[in-house]
Amino acid sequence: MEEPRKRARPGRAPAPAGRTSRPRQAEVARLAGVSQATVSLVLGGSKQGASISEETRQKVLDAVRSLGYVPDPAASRLAAARNNLLGVFSFTSTFPTDVQHSYYPFLVGVEQEAAVRGYDLVLFTGSSSGGAGAAGPNALNRVRLADGCLFLGRHAPAEELQRLVADGFPVVHLGRRDELEGLAWVGADYISASKEVVAHLADLGHRRIVLVREDDEAPASSDREHGFLKGLEEAGLPGGPDAVLRSADLRRDLTADRLRGWLRDGVTAFVAEETDTGDAWRVLRGAADAAGLDCPGDASLALLGSPPPDLSEGPAPTGFDIPRPQLGAAAVRMLAALVAGEQATEPLVACTFRPGTSAGAPPAQP
């Protein structure tokens, strides 16, 4: 019984009988009677190919069809000195693809914008370089597999990033990092958004407000505190050190007794910063519950950022939402521009005020 013939793919001639290897460009050149450079110009769509006669071009195309030749995408990328790959480096032990992770919406915007621009993504994590705190001369070298790299994380190693920038490798950090000279970054306007939250609390009648934040130098935290204090100043409310609790151990320092003491001193509203883990808001909420406070009846709470996705109990936090997908897309646009050797600028992305239900008028004074 005769074996059925394999069907050729539409638009492509079958490979010669008995052949198992991919036809090479050199074979196309020999069959067409032209140089390999001519074949490359015809198939590559180069502007220089416009000077090739129609007769020669047709010989090349006929040879391509006869041999069943298909350009090797890896070779094409190497010839262009690019891979059409963008790296995304997350300073976490595993890549944050869980929809409950605060980074996930960033990645949605990154993936969508990369697809629009014809790039594939390579995902890197801090685990393969020893974790988020990894240092050393080669910790981030593997990102050079891509044409450029986007970095996510509050605590990226400054020296390593600076070395990549100095080498001319295209790098974009998602989040403000203007302390590193020459490093491109995209960020949200946390200062204006934090001021708006304070203005809202002041309009409700609050006259003493305290900010709760972690003890670190992350630019996102600094911007929120700056906006908070500026908001107090513009509203004519007391600021200074007494208006901010900055702690390396919030669970130890932010207790029910601490909240009750602030309430006795006239504080009526508490504001927490958003962090990657959501710990500041969780601890504040936990202390308010332990103190038996009704929110917003006894005290108002607000969050400088979006609530943790897995936290649904209690009143919806008053605050602002971070446009994470838009930030991810803006980062890809900037990185693609740097890869292309173009000037790259992106404005700060505005956050959206969220009224919530955790803040209201302060309790009436007896």
Side-chain angles (χ1 to χ4, degrees), residues 117-146:
R117 295 178 177 274
Y119 283 98
D120 292 318
L121 298 176
V122 183
L123 310 181
F124 303 94
T125 67
S127 60
S128 52
S129 62
N138 300 311
L140 302 184
N141 267 352
R142 66 193 181 286
V143 303
R144 297 176 190 266
L145 292 169

PDB file of all heavy atoms in Angstrom, residues 117-146:
ATOM      1  N   ARG A 117       4.371  46.217  20.345  1.00  0.00           N
ATOM      2  CA  ARG A 117       5.611  46.677  19.724  1.00  0.00           C
ATOM      3  C   ARG A 117       6.446  45.548  19.138  1.00  0.00           C
ATOM      4  O   ARG A 117       7.567  45.769  18.680  1.00  0.00           O
ATOM      5  CB  ARG A 117       6.430  47.474  20.753  1.00  0.00           C
ATOM      6  CG  ARG A 117       5.709  48.742  21.160  1.00  0.00           C
ATOM      7  CD  ARG A 117       6.423  49.564  22.195  1.00  0.00           C
ATOM      8  NE  ARG A 117       5.646  50.771  22.416  1.00  0.00           N
ATOM      9  CZ  ARG A 117       5.755  51.890  21.697  1.00  0.00           C
ATOM     10  NH1 ARG A 117       6.646  51.941  20.720  1.00  0.00           N
ATOM     11  NH2 ARG A 117       5.003  52.937  21.944  1.00  0.00           N
ATOM     12  N   GLY A 118       5.924  44.322  19.164  1.00  0.00           N
ATOM     13  CA  GLY A 118       6.604  43.209  18.516  1.00  0.00           C
ATOM     14  C   GLY A 118       7.761  42.630  19.292  1.00  0.00           C
ATOM     15  O   GLY A 118       8.655  42.005  18.713  1.00  0.00           O
ATOM     16  N   TYR A 119       7.761  42.801  20.620  1.00  0.00           N
ATOM     17  CA  TYR A 119       8.825  42.248  21.457  1.00  0.00           C
ATOM     18  C   TYR A 119       8.331  41.021  22.221  1.00  0.00           C
ATOM     19  O   TYR A 119       7.170  40.952  22.640  1.00  0.00           O
ATOM     20  CB  TYR A 119       9.309  43.284  22.477  1.00  0.00           C
ATOM     21  CG  TYR A 119      10.221  44.340  21.911  1.00  0.00           C
ATOM     22  CD1 TYR A 119       9.720  45.594  21.554  1.00  0.00           C
ATOM     23  CD2 TYR A 119      11.579  44.098  21.739  1.00  0.00           C
ATOM     24  CE1 TYR A 119      10.563  46.576  21.047  1.00  0.00           C
ATOM     25  CE2 TYR A 119      12.422  45.070  21.227  1.00  0.00           C
ATOM     26  CZ  TYR A 119      11.903  46.301  20.881  1.00  0.00           C
ATOM     27  OH  TYR A 119      12.732  47.258  20.371  1.00  0.00           O
ATOM     28  N   ASP A 120       9.228  40.063  22.419  1.00  0.00           N
ATOM     29  CA  ASP A 120       8.996  38.981  23.370  1.00  0.00           C
ATOM     30  C   ASP A 120       9.640  39.365  24.696  1.00  0.00           C
ATOM     31  O   ASP A 120      10.506  40.250  24.751  1.00  0.00           O
ATOM     32  CB  ASP A 120       9.609  37.674  22.858  1.00  0.00           C
ATOM     33  CG  ASP A 120       8.885  37.150  21.624  1.00  0.00           C
ATOM     34  OD1 ASP A 120       7.647  37.207  21.604  1.00  0.00           O
ATOM     35  OD2 ASP A 120       9.559  36.695  20.686  1.00  0.00           O
ATOM     36  N   LEU A 121       9.227  38.697  25.765  1.00  0.00           N
ATOM     37  CA  LEU A 121       9.726  39.007  27.097  1.00  0.00           C
ATOM     38  C   LEU A 121      10.549  37.854  27.659  1.00  0.00           C
ATOM     39  O   LEU A 121      10.236  36.686  27.441  1.00  0.00           O
ATOM     40  CB  LEU A 121       8.566  39.299  28.057  1.00  0.00           C
ATOM     41  CG  LEU A 121       7.677  40.502  27.720  1.00  0.00           C
ATOM     42  CD1 LEU A 121       6.525  40.595  28.706  1.00  0.00           C
ATOM     43  CD2 LEU A 121       8.491  41.795  27.723  1.00  0.00           C
ATOM     44  N   VAL A 122      11.620  38.209  28.364  1.00  0.00           N
ATOM     45  CA  VAL A 122      12.409  37.247  29.133  1.00  0.00           C
ATOM     46  C   VAL A 122      12.281  37.653  30.596  1.00  0.00           C
ATOM     47  O   VAL A 122      12.548  38.802  30.950  1.00  0.00           O
ATOM     48  CB  VAL A 122      13.897  37.255  28.714  1.00  0.00           C
ATOM     49  CG1 VAL A 122      14.669  36.199  29.491  1.00  0.00           C
ATOM     50  CG2 VAL A 122      14.041  37.010  27.226  1.00  0.00           C
ATOM     51  N   LEU A 123      11.872  36.709  31.448  1.00  0.00           N
ATOM     52  CA  LEU A 123      11.599  37.020  32.845  1.00  0.00           C
ATOM     53  C   LEU A 123      12.756  36.552  33.722  1.00  0.00           C
ATOM     54  O   LEU A 123      13.160  35.398  33.655  1.00  0.00           O
ATOM     55  CB  LEU A 123      10.290  36.355  33.288  1.00  0.00           C
ATOM     56  CG  LEU A 123       9.078  36.593  32.366  1.00  0.00           C
ATOM     57  CD1 LEU A 123       7.854  35.903  32.947  1.00  0.00           C
ATOM     58  CD2 LEU A 123       8.828  38.079  32.160  1.00  0.00           C
ATOM     59  N   PHE A 124      13.262  37.468  34.553  1.00  0.00           N
ATOM     60  CA  PHE A 124      14.356  37.165  35.473  1.00  0.00           C
ATOM     61  C   PHE A 124      13.884  37.432  36.899  1.00  0.00           C
ATOM     62  O   PHE A 124      13.066  38.317  37.136  1.00  0.00           O
ATOM     63  CB  PHE A 124      15.571  38.057  35.209  1.00  0.00           C
ATOM     64  CG  PHE A 124      16.123  37.982  33.812  1.00  0.00           C
ATOM     65  CD1 PHE A 124      15.718  38.887  32.847  1.00  0.00           C
ATOM     66  CD2 PHE A 124      17.061  37.019  33.467  1.00  0.00           C
ATOM     67  CE1 PHE A 124      16.233  38.846  31.556  1.00  0.00           C
ATOM     68  CE2 PHE A 124      17.579  36.957  32.185  1.00  0.00           C
ATOM     69  CZ  PHE A 124      17.166  37.871  31.234  1.00  0.00           C
ATOM     70  N   THR A 125      14.435  36.691  37.869  1.00  0.00           N
ATOM     71  CA  THR A 125      14.149  36.960  39.273  1.00  0.00           C
ATOM     72  C   THR A 125      15.443  37.087  40.050  1.00  0.00           C
ATOM     73  O   THR A 125      16.507  36.640  39.609  1.00  0.00           O
ATOM     74  CB  THR A 125      13.313  35.835  39.919  1.00  0.00           C
ATOM     75  OG1 THR A 125      14.113  34.647  39.979  1.00  0.00           O
ATOM     76  CG2 THR A 125      12.056  35.560  39.138  1.00  0.00           C
ATOM     77  N   GLY A 126      15.329  37.689  41.243  1.00  0.00           N
ATOM     78  CA  GLY A 126      16.501  37.850  42.086  1.00  0.00           C
ATOM     79  C   GLY A 126      17.028  36.541  42.623  1.00  0.00           C
ATOM     80  O   GLY A 126      18.165  36.483  43.093  1.00  0.00           O
ATOM     81  N   SER A 127      16.246  35.457  42.570  1.00  0.00           N
ATOM     82  CA  SER A 127      16.680  34.197  43.165  1.00  0.00           C
ATOM     83  C   SER A 127      17.919  33.634  42.491  1.00  0.00           C
ATOM     84  O   SER A 127      18.772  33.028  43.134  1.00  0.00           O
ATOM     85  CB  SER A 127      15.551  33.168  43.086  1.00  0.00           C
ATOM     86  OG  SER A 127      15.183  32.941  41.734  1.00  0.00           O
ATOM     87  N   SER A 128      18.044  33.844  41.171  1.00  0.00           N
ATOM     88  CA  SER A 128      19.182  33.262  40.458  1.00  0.00           C
ATOM     89  C   SER A 128      20.456  34.066  40.639  1.00  0.00           C
ATOM     90  O   SER A 128      21.510  33.667  40.178  1.00  0.00           O
ATOM     91  CB  SER A 128      18.862  33.130  38.968  1.00  0.00           C
ATOM     92  OG  SER A 128      18.404  34.347  38.452  1.00  0.00           O
ATOM     93  N   SER A 129      20.353  35.221  41.319  1.00  0.00           N
ATOM     94  CA  SER A 129      21.566  35.986  41.612  1.00  0.00           C
ATOM     95  C   SER A 129      21.779  36.114  43.112  1.00  0.00           C
ATOM     96  O   SER A 129      22.511  36.966  43.576  1.00  0.00           O
ATOM     97  CB  SER A 129      21.475  37.386  40.981  1.00  0.00           C
ATOM     98  OG  SER A 129      20.388  38.105  41.516  1.00  0.00           O
ATOM     99  N   GLY A 130      21.080  35.271  43.875  1.00  0.00           N
ATOM    100  CA  GLY A 130      21.280  35.285  45.321  1.00  0.00           C
ATOM    101  C   GLY A 130      20.239  36.075  46.069  1.00  0.00           C
ATOM    102  O   GLY A 130      20.379  36.332  47.244  1.00  0.00           O
ATOM    103  N   GLY A 131      19.162  36.496  45.389  1.00  0.00           N
ATOM    104  CA  GLY A 131      18.096  37.203  46.071  1.00  0.00           C
ATOM    105  C   GLY A 131      18.156  38.688  45.845  1.00  0.00           C
ATOM    106  O   GLY A 131      19.019  39.220  45.163  1.00  0.00           O
ATOM    107  N   ALA A 132      17.181  39.389  46.425  1.00  0.00           N
ATOM    108  CA  ALA A 132      17.035  40.821  46.187  1.00  0.00           C
ATOM    109  C   ALA A 132      18.239  41.618  46.638  1.00  0.00           C
ATOM    110  O   ALA A 132      18.554  42.659  46.085  1.00  0.00           O
ATOM    111  CB  ALA A 132      15.777  41.322  46.901  1.00  0.00           C
ATOM    112  N   GLY A 133      18.925  41.152  47.653  1.00  0.00           N
ATOM    113  CA  GLY A 133      20.057  41.917  48.154  1.00  0.00           C
ATOM    114  C   GLY A 133      21.372  41.546  47.525  1.00  0.00           C
ATOM    115  O   GLY A 133      22.431  41.931  48.009  1.00  0.00           O
ATOM    116  N   ALA A 134      21.329  40.773  46.435  1.00  0.00           N
ATOM    117  CA  ALA A 134      22.573  40.308  45.824  1.00  0.00           C
ATOM    118  C   ALA A 134      23.417  41.465  45.337  1.00  0.00           C
ATOM    119  O   ALA A 134      22.930  42.413  44.764  1.00  0.00           O
ATOM    120  CB  ALA A 134      22.262  39.371  44.668  1.00  0.00           C
ATOM    121  N   ALA A 135      24.701  41.397  45.575  1.00  0.00           N
ATOM    122  CA  ALA A 135      25.637  42.386  45.052  1.00  0.00           C
ATOM    123  C   ALA A 135      26.724  41.617  44.331  1.00  0.00           C
ATOM    124  O   ALA A 135      26.661  40.416  44.188  1.00  0.00           O
ATOM    125  CB  ALA A 135      26.211  43.237  46.185  1.00  0.00           C
ATOM    126  N   GLY A 136      27.751  42.289  43.900  1.00  0.00           N
ATOM    127  CA  GLY A 136      28.806  41.593  43.183  1.00  0.00           C
ATOM    128  C   GLY A 136      28.815  41.986  41.729  1.00  0.00           C
ATOM    129  O   GLY A 136      27.804  42.414  41.188  1.00  0.00           O
ATOM    130  N   PRO A 137      29.945  41.822  41.082  1.00  0.00           N
ATOM    131  CA  PRO A 137      30.122  42.362  39.742  1.00  0.00           C
ATOM    132  C   PRO A 137      29.288  41.692  38.665  1.00  0.00           C
ATOM    133  O   PRO A 137      29.078  42.270  37.619  1.00  0.00           O
ATOM    134  CB  PRO A 137      31.623  42.153  39.488  1.00  0.00           C
ATOM    135  CG  PRO A 137      32.007  41.017  40.389  1.00  0.00           C
ATOM    136  CD  PRO A 137      31.147  41.156  41.596  1.00  0.00           C
ATOM    137  N   ASN A 138      28.808  40.471  38.887  1.00  0.00           N
ATOM    138  CA  ASN A 138      28.107  39.760  37.817  1.00  0.00           C
ATOM    139  C   ASN A 138      26.665  39.426  38.164  1.00  0.00           C
ATOM    140  O   ASN A 138      26.045  38.617  37.486  1.00  0.00           O
ATOM    141  CB  ASN A 138      28.860  38.463  37.489  1.00  0.00           C
ATOM    142  CG  ASN A 138      30.281  38.726  37.029  1.00  0.00           C
ATOM    143  OD1 ASN A 138      30.507  39.556  36.155  1.00  0.00           O
ATOM    144  ND2 ASN A 138      31.236  38.032  37.632  1.00  0.00           N
ATOM    145  N   ALA A 139      26.121  40.053  39.198  1.00  0.00           N
ATOM    146  CA  ALA A 139      24.796  39.674  39.678  1.00  0.00           C
ATOM    147  C   ALA A 139      23.715  39.846  38.622  1.00  0.00           C
ATOM    148  O   ALA A 139      22.797  39.040  38.523  1.00  0.00           O
ATOM    149  CB  ALA A 139      24.448  40.486  40.925  1.00  0.00           C
ATOM    150  N   LEU A 140      23.802  40.894  37.806  1.00  0.00           N
ATOM    151  CA  LEU A 140      22.746  41.181  36.836  1.00  0.00           C
ATOM    152  C   LEU A 140      23.184  40.967  35.398  1.00  0.00           C
ATOM    153  O   LEU A 140      22.454  41.318  34.473  1.00  0.00           O
ATOM    154  CB  LEU A 140      22.265  42.630  36.998  1.00  0.00           C
ATOM    155  CG  LEU A 140      21.738  43.036  38.367  1.00  0.00           C
ATOM    156  CD1 LEU A 140      21.223  44.469  38.334  1.00  0.00           C
ATOM    157  CD2 LEU A 140      20.645  42.098  38.841  1.00  0.00           C
ATOM    158  N   ASN A 141      24.339  40.374  35.179  1.00  0.00           N
ATOM    159  CA  ASN A 141      24.879  40.260  33.823  1.00  0.00           C
ATOM    160  C   ASN A 141      23.982  39.478  32.881  1.00  0.00           C
ATOM    161  O   ASN A 141      23.974  39.724  31.679  1.00  0.00           O
ATOM    162  CB  ASN A 141      26.272  39.618  33.848  1.00  0.00           C
ATOM    163  CG  ASN A 141      27.369  40.673  33.902  1.00  0.00           C
ATOM    164  OD1 ASN A 141      27.101  41.867  33.771  1.00  0.00           O
ATOM    165  ND2 ASN A 141      28.586  40.231  34.104  1.00  0.00           N
ATOM    166  N   ARG A 142      23.224  38.532  33.415  1.00  0.00           N
ATOM    167  CA  ARG A 142      22.447  37.692  32.518  1.00  0.00           C
ATOM    168  C   ARG A 142      21.341  38.456  31.802  1.00  0.00           C
ATOM    169  O   ARG A 142      20.810  37.981  30.797  1.00  0.00           O
ATOM    170  CB  ARG A 142      21.880  36.498  33.272  1.00  0.00           C
ATOM    171  CG  ARG A 142      20.858  36.837  34.325  1.00  0.00           C
ATOM    172  CD  ARG A 142      20.608  35.628  35.214  1.00  0.00           C
ATOM    173  NE  ARG A 142      19.612  35.895  36.223  1.00  0.00           N
ATOM    174  CZ  ARG A 142      19.819  36.644  37.290  1.00  0.00           C
ATOM    175  NH1 ARG A 142      21.002  37.220  37.472  1.00  0.00           N
ATOM    176  NH2 ARG A 142      18.871  36.849  38.168  1.00  0.00           N
ATOM    177  N   VAL A 143      20.972  39.645  32.284  1.00  0.00           N
ATOM    178  CA  VAL A 143      19.929  40.406  31.588  1.00  0.00           C
ATOM    179  C   VAL A 143      20.403  40.861  30.217  1.00  0.00           C
ATOM    180  O   VAL A 143      19.594  41.246  29.370  1.00  0.00           O
ATOM    181  CB  VAL A 143      19.477  41.623  32.416  1.00  0.00           C
ATOM    182  CG1 VAL A 143      18.988  41.194  33.787  1.00  0.00           C
ATOM    183  CG2 VAL A 143      20.561  42.684  32.526  1.00  0.00           C
ATOM    184  N   ARG A 144      21.714  40.783  29.966  1.00  0.00           N
ATOM    185  CA  ARG A 144      22.235  41.189  28.664  1.00  0.00           C
ATOM    186  C   ARG A 144      21.837  40.225  27.551  1.00  0.00           C
ATOM    187  O   ARG A 144      22.104  40.487  26.374  1.00  0.00           O
ATOM    188  CB  ARG A 144      23.769  41.310  28.724  1.00  0.00           C
ATOM    189  CG  ARG A 144      24.243  42.385  29.702  1.00  0.00           C
ATOM    190  CD  ARG A 144      25.761  42.390  29.804  1.00  0.00           C
ATOM    191  NE  ARG A 144      26.244  43.235  30.879  1.00  0.00           N
ATOM    192  CZ  ARG A 144      26.617  44.503  30.740  1.00  0.00           C
ATOM    193  NH1 ARG A 144      26.551  45.067  29.546  1.00  0.00           N
ATOM    194  NH2 ARG A 144      27.056  45.202  31.760  1.00  0.00           N
ATOM    195  N   LEU A 145      21.192  39.117  27.897  1.00  0.00           N
ATOM    196  CA  LEU A 145      20.619  38.242  26.880  1.00  0.00           C
ATOM    197  C   LEU A 145      19.538  38.975  26.083  1.00  0.00           C
ATOM    198  O   LEU A 145      19.274  38.636  24.931  1.00  0.00           O
ATOM    199  CB  LEU A 145      19.997  37.002  27.537  1.00  0.00           C
ATOM    200  CG  LEU A 145      20.963  36.014  28.196  1.00  0.00           C
ATOM    201  CD1 LEU A 145      20.173  35.011  29.028  1.00  0.00           C
ATOM    202  CD2 LEU A 145      21.784  35.303  27.138  1.00  0.00           C
ATOM    203  N   ALA A 146      18.909  39.957  26.704  1.00  0.00           N
ATOM    204  CA  ALA A 146      17.858  40.735  26.053  1.00  0.00           C
ATOM    205  C   ALA A 146      18.445  42.012  25.456  1.00  0.00           C
ATOM    206  O   ALA A 146      19.608  42.349  25.673  1.00  0.00           O
ATOM    207  CB  ALA A 146      16.762  41.066  27.069  1.00  0.00           C
TER     208      ALA A 146
END
